[in-house]
Amino acid sequence: MQPDTTRVMTRIILFTGKGGVGKTTVAAATAIKSAELGNKTLVISTDPAHSLSDSFGVRLNPFPTKVTENLEGMEVNVEYELERHWSTIKEYLSLFFRSQGIEDVVAEELAIFPGFDELASLLHLLKFYKSGEYDAIVLDCAPTGETLRLLSVPEVAKWYMNRFFGIEKKVLRIIKPIAEPLMDVPLPSDEVLDKIQELYTKISELKDILESKDTSVRIVMNPEKMVIRESERAFTYLNLFGYRVDCIIVNKIFPEKAGEYFSEWMKIQREYLKEIEEKFPLPVMKVEFKSTEVTGGLLRDIAEEMYGDRDPIEIFHEGKPIVIEKEGDDFVLRIKAPFVEKQDIKLFKRGEELVIIAGQWKRIVFLPQSLAIREPHSARFGEGELKIIFR
């Protein structure tokens, strides 16, 4: 009899939202309740301005640190990641900048390339997901814009890898022995190139994990006009990139006992709560504004308000943002794109890529072979959905 090798998938939940809405509090509360229900849980802060340690009242390290039974937490540190895992790449970049006459200290700083903090967070996610040692991984993400950039990293990296890296690697290996003695710029070694390839390979794996049914994004917001508008845009772009949002969490709602002083605010919030429930086709969970800072034991109260008797790692809304269907002899690609105007959407096909532009965001969809060999015949947009027909 062969052993059962079926792998129990790790649940991944990402929390995002406008700065100051209470993402860290909500993520910490979710992680605590998950752990208390018996799920081995890891919560990771991807925000450079970490506050997860403050929420738990426990000093967290750039590696999993015990918080309570079944719960570990960590705060990503860019310097630590580079020194421990990517020193080969950093050393080459430092050498390159020094060769251009840049002082040692500045060269060291420049060697920490932009976006590595987001990338390091994703690489940790990949490692712990593949290890299978956790039932749930909760990500306390940076504010919305940074989170969207974080989630677009796998798509962008795959594009560069497919386009340039294979060619560059072959050419460098051929010309390096001839060109290097004649140049004042150090060319990357095979070890550096291999490390970069390893990095891109991991990023490609991440893309499949982030788009899987095991991963959900939860948008945290306050009942305020500007926050709602940013959340609408975030919801649109998350759908466009193929990420599943399974619920909305509305934080800092004034309770009825708030008193006369907040009566006008309470009236405004009631109107915005109604708007949120009508606009977002998702479960909406509510958390009242607390009279004191939410740390330690109060996190359990927040979790009870949000989830009640339910397990916080369950999927609260099913549905794929991108679907391919067959209609007669045609194939139809459906992409959910709510809260965007028809005139803001542009698309074109380039080989096996479909390029979709919605407002300021661009997404390159790598088409499956069944669609890549066909040309888009027509496209329609209505009821928050983009429908592209391939004939």
Side-chain angles (χ1 to χ4, degrees):
M1 182 177 176
Q2 292 186 341
D4 182 11
T5 57
T6 304
R7 183 181 182 280
V8 178
M9 291 300 177
T10 301
R11 182 83 168 98
I12 299 171
I13 304 169
L14 299 88
F15 287 93
T16 187
K18 189 175 172 63
V21 297
K23 296 183 301 298
T24 299
T25 298
V26 168
T30 300
I32 282 178
K33 185 170 178 69
S34 169
E36 289 182 346
L37 290 176
N39 305 307
K40 189 174 181 186
T41 306
L42 172 66
V43 57
I44 305 173
S45 171
T46 73
D47 191 339
H50 299 297
S51 55
L52 199 58
S53 290
D54 300 325
S55 289
F56 289 131
V58 174
R59 181 183 174 83
L60 299 179
N61 299 298
F63 49 83
T65 310
K66 184 171 181 178
V67 179
T68 61
E69 187 68 27
N70 285 330
L71 177 60
E72 295 177 350
M74 63 179 285
E75 295 178 334
V76 175
N77 181 299
V78 181
E79 281 283 2
Y80 177 87
E81 297 304 325
L82 280 169
E83 292 299 332
R84 190 172 177 84
H85 302 294
W86 306 104
S87 58
T88 304
I89 297 174
K90 186 187 176 187
E91 284 167 12
Y92 167 71
L93 290 173
S94 297
L95 179 64
F96 173 83
F97 288 125
R98 283 196 294 273
S99 75
Q100 302 305 298
I102 297 172
E103 293 180 9
D104 286 0
V105 174
V106 179
E108 283 289 313
E109 290 297 315
L110 289 173
I112 304 174
F113 48 91
F116 192 84
D117 44 357
E118 290 105 337
L119 181 56
S121 305
L122 287 177
L123 293 173
H124 276 297
L125 175 62
L126 175 65
K127 180 178 76 172
F128 294 125
Y129 179 87
K130 291 175 74 174
S131 75
E133 60 186 295
Y134 296 100
D135 300 308
I137 302 174
V138 176
L139 266 72
D140 170 27
C141 296
T144 314
E146 286 85 344
T147 301
L148 293 171
R149 191 170 69 242
L150 167 87
L151 293 175
S152 66
V153 164
E155 191 89 27
V156 174
K158 183 177 179 182
W159 189 88
Y160 275 105
M161 191 67 179
N162 289 347
R163 279 283 182 281
F164 300 117
F165 188 72
I167 298 169
E168 287 175 353
K169 192 173 180 182
K170 290 172 186 174
V171 170
L172 271 172
R173 282 180 172 162
I174 295 169
I175 69 166
K176 188 179 178 183
I178 304 166
E180 196 162 39
L182 307 174
M183 299 175 68
D184 60 355
V185 176
L187 296 175
S189 65
D190 286 352
E191 187 182 4
V192 171
L193 294 173
D194 289 342
K195 273 290 181 184
I196 294 171
Q197 185 159 18
E198 178 192 338
L199 189 61
Y200 279 129
T201 301
K202 287 181 176 180
I203 289 170
S204 295
E205 292 180 70
L206 268 165
K207 187 174 183 300
D208 294 334
I209 294 168
L210 290 170
E211 292 182 2
S212 77
K213 62 180 179 59
D214 302 311
T215 302
S216 296
V217 181
R218 292 179 183 172
I219 300 175
V220 184
M221 67 173 78
N222 303 145
E224 300 172 15
K225 183 177 182 179
M226 289 177 63
V227 179
I228 294 171
R229 297 298 167 263
E230 180 162 330
S231 300
E232 288 174 356
R233 289 191 290 271
F235 186 50
T236 298
Y237 302 142
L238 288 165
N239 276 276
L240 185 64
F241 276 91
Y243 299 120
R244 304 165 195 248
V245 182
D246 77 337
C247 73
I248 301 292
I249 297 168
V250 186
N251 190 26
K252 299 182 182 179
I253 302 171
F254 289 121
E256 291 299 325
K257 59 185 178 183
E260 184 65 26
Y261 184 81
F262 291 101
S263 60
E264 191 60 31
W265 262 115
M266 290 159 64
K267 179 182 175 184
I268 293 168
Q269 284 195 344
R270 279 194 293 270
E271 292 173 0
Y272 283 135
L273 280 169
K274 183 181 178 184
E275 181 182 339
I276 291 166
E277 289 172 337
E278 288 174 351
K279 282 187 170 183
F280 289 89
L282 299 166
V284 176
M285 300 172 182
K286 301 171 186 176
V287 181
E288 285 190 351
F289 195 95
K290 298 295 178 281
S291 59
T292 185
E293 287 184 291
V294 181
T295 57
L298 269 178
L299 291 170
R300 290 181 177 81
D301 297 338
I302 294 281
E304 288 305 312
E305 275 188 74
M306 287 191 292
Y307 303 113
D309 296 331
R310 303 177 76 173
D311 189 330
I313 73 169
E314 72 175 82
I315 299 171
F316 294 111
H317 176 78
E318 298 278 1
K320 294 177 67 176
I322 299 178
V323 177
I324 299 172
E325 299 173 331
K326 199 165 190 308
E327 292 184 0
D329 294 330
D330 301 333
F331 280 92
V332 178
L333 177 65
R334 299 177 184 272
I335 302 175
K336 292 179 182 177
F339 308 122
V340 69
E341 299 297 326
K342 182 178 179 180
Q343 62 267 23
D344 294 331
I345 295 181
K346 300 184 180 77
L347 60 101
F348 58 91
K349 183 173 179 285
R350 184 174 55 200
E352 61 181 19
E353 301 169 354
L354 181 70
V355 181
I356 304 169
I357 300 170
Q360 63 175 329
W361 290 92
K362 178 169 76 172
R363 198 258 164 115
I364 300 171
V365 179
F366 290 87
L367 297 169
Q369 190 62 27
S370 57
L371 298 188
I373 61 174
R374 298 165 181 254
E375 289 300 317
H377 175 262
S378 60
R380 292 194 293 273
F381 181 76
E383 298 182 354
E385 184 179 74
L386 178 62
K387 181 179 178 181
I388 306 162
I389 299 169
F390 290 80
R391 184 163 294 175

